[in-house]
């Protein structure tokens, strides 16, 4: 199950930098996770400074 980024996202890019498969990119208003590319490793969740990433 892919992770999701909630509205607490501050668009800092830390999650994108930590994703080993490049599944995270800047969206219209915040970063977004491509569910098809996400391998559910949790690296982004631990890399988020504001806790905006959770399991879907």
């Amino acid at each position: 199950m892919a992770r999701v980024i909630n509205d607490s996202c501050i668009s800092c890019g830390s999650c994108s930098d930590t994703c080993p498969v490049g599944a995270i990119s800047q969206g219209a208003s915040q970063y977004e996770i491509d569910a098809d590319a996400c391998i559910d490793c949790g690296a982004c969740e631990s890399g988020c400074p504001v806790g905006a990433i959770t399991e879907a």
Side-chain angles (χ1 to χ4, degrees), residues 9-38:
C9 176
I10 58 171
S11 295
C12 68
S14 293
C15 58
S16 180
D17 293 341
T18 61
C19 181
V21 294
I24 305 174
S25 60
Q26 177 66 52
S29 61
Q30 67 186 37
Y31 276 78
E32 299 174 346
I33 299 174
D34 178 349
D36 292 330
C38 178

